[in-house]
Amino acid sequence: MTAEPTDPVIATTDLTKIYGDTTAVEDISFEVHPNEIFALVGPNGAGKTTTVEILECLRTPTSGVARVLGYEVGEESRAIKQRIGVVPQSFHTFDRLTVRENVTLARQMYENGRDPGAVLTQLDLSEYAGTRFADLSGGYQRRTGIAMALVSDPDVLFLDEPTTGLDPAARRSTWEQIERLTELGTTVVLTTHYMEEVEELADRAALLVDGEIVAVDTVADLVETYGGDVKLVVSPADDNHAELEASLRSIATDVYQDDTGNLVGIFDDRYDAQEAFGQLLDIDGEHSIELTGAGMEDVFLQLAGGTLGSGGELQ
Amino acid sequence: MTRIWPLLVALSKNWLRNREAVFFAFLFPVILLLIFSAVFGAGASEFTLYVQNNDHGADGDPTNLSTSFVDALEDVEALQVRSIESGRNITDWSRQRGSAGAARVVIIPDGFADQVRAGSRQARRSVILDTISRAGDQINQTNRASIRQGANATVNGTNATGPAKIRFLSASDDQAAPAIRGVLSSVVAQFNSIAIGVETPPTTIESEDLGHRNVEGVDYYLPALIAAVVMINGLITLPALLAEFRGDGTLKRLTATPLRKRDWILANVLQQSGLALLITGVMVVVAHLAFEVTVIPGPLAIGLILLGAITFTGFGMTLGSLVDGSDAATSLGMAIALPMMFVSGVFWELDLMPEYLQTVATLTPVYHFHRGLRQLMVLDTTHGVGLPFAILGIGALLALVVSVRVTQWRDL
């Protein structure tokens, strides 16, 4: 049975995967809607990769049900594989084949798909079409992986840690490529431990901790619900203290002075804080302003009890 | 099936662009073929034999008999005879020679000719006396006494000091010494026969070719090295690449596509089979260019090569699926393939090995592989190839079944 256009592209119910004595994921249920970017967020070992690999038909669930594009994982894996694109974590392909040869090979694995040359152009890879995979930088290797996943013109694209290990410029470039995909009607499921990536890309996100989903919602609602207060901390100069405080009080729900003499304004949301930020900048005098709180970092801190290090470890 | 061909092309390109794989698949066997064929295939081996002739006549020249003996040694194909100055101290000569290789020396003593003549007369007398005693009543008593008197007269005045003694000196660890001693004994026996007047020895050895053609070293090594390199590719290079594909995620990427496991295995088997035929072609051409050997593998030989390729590819895929890491896969492959290669007679005839190792060799598939190939490619006969076909056929089937069982397509 295939999915109707309005049906969830992905739906899992009580999905569990156990390796020996270790439970990788336990009773997780979520849906991914058509044409959205959905992020599975969590620290290393939270079960993100296990979850997407079950959906990619690379792993067999211990229990529970997962459906992709209306097909049941395990029972109808070949039908699913025909319509999904996968960029695994630590993506690699044939080292001694060129970018074009690898993308062409990927195309030939599917019944239908796109012209490899067009995909290379779309991903700004034409210049490297004749370069062997082993000779590419990490960013272009990852981009080759995305090209190999897109050449089958998938309905759903799975990106497992798509920017891990990339430098900031390559990460930004990859984000731009991913954002373009939804314009073409592709649903994207990505795993990441970068909160900035979630805020930048994802429409909705599920937070995974110790194999369980602790929250799933739109990114905005997650921040709204679990992000806590948005604060502006202002270090006033002697001559503009009163003017700064008045400006803060005009928008903030509360204003107080902390132990170091800084003015702290509490806001309902980030938009109010940003408006106040603009007003404070217009006030004369030497003062510094810092916007804190209410991002996915705060959501994660609230729900997981820690922050994520650069390597994805829970701190 | 439509996915197999592009995958086969990709695997082949990836292989042929791998310098190490190309070296071990093509250059390595070609180098071995050239070296082994040149070293062991340049006709019969020759042993250097030094001769010191101390038997000189009154004029100071070597006596005719001692010269004849040296000539007889020079006529032996297996010997390369060189002379040592008469009267020279052999111990000093050997010491000065240093480490120039094992020295084998024959010393013809002074008085050799006189002793041979005396011995010859004694021998002729014994023959005459033996003949008249065997004749019985056919010779009357008078004639018998007359003949005996005449025979005894031939030895009167000769010094009966026993046979002329030629000394053969060799190093105690010289493994070729027994063979050379045998050749010397043969020459001496023939010399003795002529000395007592036996022109035609009552027993001789007649040699004939057993095979269909004159088999040289390259004929031995060509099929053996084809079999060996097919095994090396299957058991060493392939598992290393497969373990690398598993380790770096290349295989996982492929399993996420609609490609089936059976297509993956079949593409690898086909790639290795094609590679085996390509290697065979290269080796045959090199053998022809370097040694003027014309061997064109027929359908049966090609069939056997393909069976060998399937067998070793199947086992190689099994190793590559079980072992983590390319280095570990290479080590394990070498641990299996190299002993098998040395024991199975790839580099030397089994007759040179202890009997128990010859038994071990018959238990290895590569032994039957190269024996079968030799029958088909070199000796141009199907005699005895049933067993190699049966063993490699069963091996191929078994290897494929095992590789299908152990190759993981999920939960990598």
Side-chain angles (χ1 to χ4, degrees):
Chain A
M1 189 182 76
T2 56
E4 294 295 319
T6 53
D7 288 344
V9 172
I10 293 168
T12 70
T13 308
D14 300 332
L15 204 59
T16 298
K17 177 69 181 179
I18 299 170
Y19 301 105
D21 297 331
T22 306
T23 302
V25 290
E26 186 171 15
D27 293 333
I28 62 171
S29 303
F30 63 92
E31 291 182 350
V32 178
H33 303 136
N35 201 29
E36 72 174 356
I37 298 179
F38 184 84
L40 281 165
V41 190
N44 291 341
K48 306 186 298 289
T49 296
T50 297
T51 304
V52 293
E53 288 190 349
I54 290 171
L55 300 175
E56 292 163 358
C57 308
L58 299 180
R59 295 193 185 278
T60 312
T62 306
S63 64
V65 177
R67 300 188 78 86
V68 177
L69 295 161
Y71 300 107
E72 188 171 335
V73 170
E75 301 295 320
E76 298 164 294
S77 294
R78 279 185 58 75
I80 294 172
K81 286 182 177 181
Q82 278 288 358
R83 293 178 58 187
I84 64 171
V86 173
V87 183
Q89 190 177 13
S90 308
F91 164 77
H92 207 93
T93 185
F94 293 107
D95 268 334
R96 298 169 196 90
L97 296 191
T98 64
V99 171
R100 183 188 300 282
E101 287 168 340
N102 270 305
V103 174
T104 303
L105 174 67
R107 166 67 189 85
Q108 289 165 323
M109 295 296 108
Y110 296 86
E111 290 169 7
N112 303 304
R114 299 171 59 193
D115 171 39
V119 176
L120 293 179
T121 305
Q122 178 194 339
L123 291 170
D124 299 328
L125 276 169
S126 300
E127 189 185 341
Y128 298 94
T131 306
R132 289 188 187 183
F133 180 78
D135 297 332
L136 294 172
S137 67
Y140 280 99
Q141 286 192 342
R142 204 64 61 88
R143 201 177 287 191
T144 303
I146 295 173
M148 289 175 70
L150 285 181
V151 77
S152 63
D153 197 13
D155 294 314
V156 184
L157 178 66
F158 291 95
L159 301 167
D160 196 356
E161 304 275 4
T163 61
T164 299
L166 299 188
D167 60 56
R171 180 174 297 167
R172 177 66 58 183
S173 171
T174 304
W175 288 350
E176 288 169 7
Q177 300 294 344
I178 294 170
E179 279 178 322
R180 276 192 233 166
L181 296 177
T182 52
E183 295 166 12
L184 299 170
T186 309
T187 304
V188 177
V189 177
L190 64 89
T191 72
T192 185
H193 59 263
Y194 296 125
M195 296 306 157
E196 188 189 359
E197 192 160 278
V198 179
E199 290 168 358
E200 186 77 25
L201 289 176
D203 299 304
R204 296 170 65 244
L207 264 68
L208 271 158
V209 178
D210 293 334
E212 295 181 37
I213 290 182
V214 292
V216 56
D217 210 333
T218 63
V219 173
D221 284 348
L222 284 172
V223 172
E224 178 77 29
T225 308
Y226 304 104
D229 296 331
V230 181
K231 297 175 188 172
L232 276 181
V233 180
V234 185
S235 305
D238 290 341
D239 57 346
N240 62 4
H241 188 284
E243 194 177 356
L244 289 169
E245 186 172 349
S247 179
L248 273 175
R249 287 194 187 283
S250 68
I251 300 175
T253 55
D254 189 19
V255 176
Y256 62 91
Q257 192 163 2
D258 67 14
D259 297 342
T260 60
N262 291 332
L263 286 169
V264 180
I266 309 294
F267 298 87
D268 282 339
D269 56 44
R270 184 172 285 260
Y271 305 107
D272 286 351
Q274 283 171 345
E275 186 184 344
F277 194 100
Q279 285 186 17
L280 293 171
L281 282 177
D282 291 338
I283 296 173
D284 292 335
E286 293 184 0
H287 55 278
S288 66
I289 313 163
E290 188 185 355
L291 177 65
T292 63
M296 281 302 291
E297 292 278 1
D298 301 285
V299 174
F300 197 80
L301 183 65
Q302 174 75 17
L303 293 172
T307 57
L308 285 176
S310 58
E313 69 282 3
L314 187 60
Q315 294 176 327
Chain B
M1 283 296 285
T2 54
R3 296 180 187 95
I4 294 174
W5 176 251
L7 187 58
L8 170 61
V9 171
L11 287 170
S12 301
K13 281 183 181 174
N14 197 61
W15 183 290
L16 293 172
R17 290 173 188 171
N18 181 340
R19 288 179 191 165
E20 286 175 24
V22 167
F23 174 79
F24 281 107
F26 293 101
L27 286 179
F28 183 60
V30 163
I31 290 169
L32 288 183
L33 181 72
L34 293 174
I35 291 174
F36 278 93
S37 300
V39 171
F40 299 108
S45 297
E46 278 193 347
F47 300 105
T48 302
L49 181 70
Y50 290 88
V51 176
Q52 185 182 49
N53 188 352
N54 293 322
D55 188 34
H56 294 265
D59 55 1
D61 291 334
T63 60
N64 290 338
L65 270 174
S66 64
T67 304
S68 298
F69 185 77
V70 175
D71 290 345
L73 290 176
E74 286 177 343
D75 286 343
V76 177
E77 280 184 18
L79 298 180
Q80 188 177 36
V81 177
R82 294 179 184 172
S83 63
I84 301 176
E85 186 186 341
S86 172
R88 186 164 181 189
N89 184 297
I90 294 301
T91 307
D92 292 344
W93 172 83
S94 180
R95 200 171 288 138
Q96 282 178 5
R97 217 168 153 269
S99 58
R104 300 107 188 183
V105 181
V106 163
I107 300 173
I108 301 172
D110 184 22
F112 170 77
D114 291 339
Q115 284 179 295
V116 169
R117 282 194 202 95
S120 170
R121 287 191 199 114
Q122 290 280 6
R124 285 168 192 262
R125 170 180 168 271
S126 298
V127 170
I128 291 167
L129 295 180
D130 182 63
T131 303
I132 60 174
S133 86
R134 287 173 188 270
D137 295 339
Q138 292 175 358
I139 303 173
N140 62 38
Q141 286 295 332
T142 309
N143 288 340
R144 192 178 297 220
S146 172
I147 292 169
R148 189 175 287 118
Q149 191 176 5
N152 288 335
T154 61
V155 297
N156 285 343
T158 58
N159 295 323
T161 55
K165 285 184 180 168
I166 290 170
R167 290 170 66 205
F168 174 60
L169 308 178
S170 65
S172 57
D173 60 347
D174 183 357
Q175 295 185 348
I180 298 171
R181 193 176 293 118
V183 172
L184 274 177
S185 298
S186 170
V187 172
V188 167
Q190 196 171 11
F191 195 78
N192 284 339
S193 297
I194 293 169
I196 61 171
V198 181
E199 296 296 338
T200 308
T203 306
T204 60
I205 295 173
E206 190 173 289
S207 299
E208 285 180 28
D209 276 345
L210 191 60
H212 293 242
R213 50 176 290 194
N214 187 21
V215 178
E216 296 180 4
V218 67
D219 295 311
Y220 183 86
Y221 288 110
L222 183 61
L225 287 173
I226 288 171
V229 76
V230 168
M231 178 181 68
I232 286 173
N233 277 336
L235 293 185
I236 299 177
T237 315
L238 180 64
L241 275 175
L242 293 180
E244 187 181 303
F245 290 158
R246 269 196 320 127
D248 67 17
T250 302
L251 190 59
K252 181 179 271 188
R253 173 70 188 77
L254 281 170
T255 63
T257 72
L259 183 74
R260 293 170 188 264
K261 181 166 78 170
R262 67 174 187 218
D263 295 343
W264 168 248
I265 292 172
L266 193 54
N268 274 282
V269 168
L270 287 175
Q271 190 245 335
Q272 289 295 312
S273 300
L275 193 63
L277 294 182
L278 192 60
I279 289 164
T280 302
V282 169
M283 300 274 279
V284 165
V285 168
V286 169
H288 180 69
L289 294 177
F291 303 101
E292 296 179 348
V293 171
T294 303
V295 175
I296 299 172
L300 281 176
I302 289 173
L304 196 62
I305 290 168
L306 291 178
L307 275 181
I310 296 169
T311 301
F312 291 114
T313 303
F315 285 126
M317 293 204 75
T318 302
L319 291 182
S321 299
L322 293 175
V323 182
D324 290 329
S326 142
D327 289 345
T330 302
S331 302
L332 183 60
M334 288 173 84
I336 295 169
L338 295 185
M340 201 147 63
M341 190 162 70
F342 287 116
V343 163
S344 65
V346 165
F347 294 122
W348 42 73
E349 274 285 10
L350 285 190
D351 294 343
L352 297 174
M353 298 198 299
E355 201 168 334
Y356 74 93
L357 277 182
Q358 294 183 33
T359 306
V360 171
T362 60
L363 301 176
T364 65
V366 72
Y367 163 79
H368 298 281
F369 191 7
H370 73 75
R371 299 285 286 196
L373 275 186
R374 186 171 304 132
Q375 294 293 102
L376 292 167
M377 288 174 64
V378 179
L379 302 178
D380 199 19
T381 174
T382 56
H383 179 73
V385 298
L387 186 60
F389 267 99
I391 286 174
L392 289 180
I394 293 169
L397 195 64
L398 187 69
L400 282 179
V401 168
V402 174
S403 69
V404 169
R405 297 275 298 192
V406 302
T407 298
Q408 273 189 290
W409 211 241
R410 273 187 166 224
D411 298 309
L412 278 167

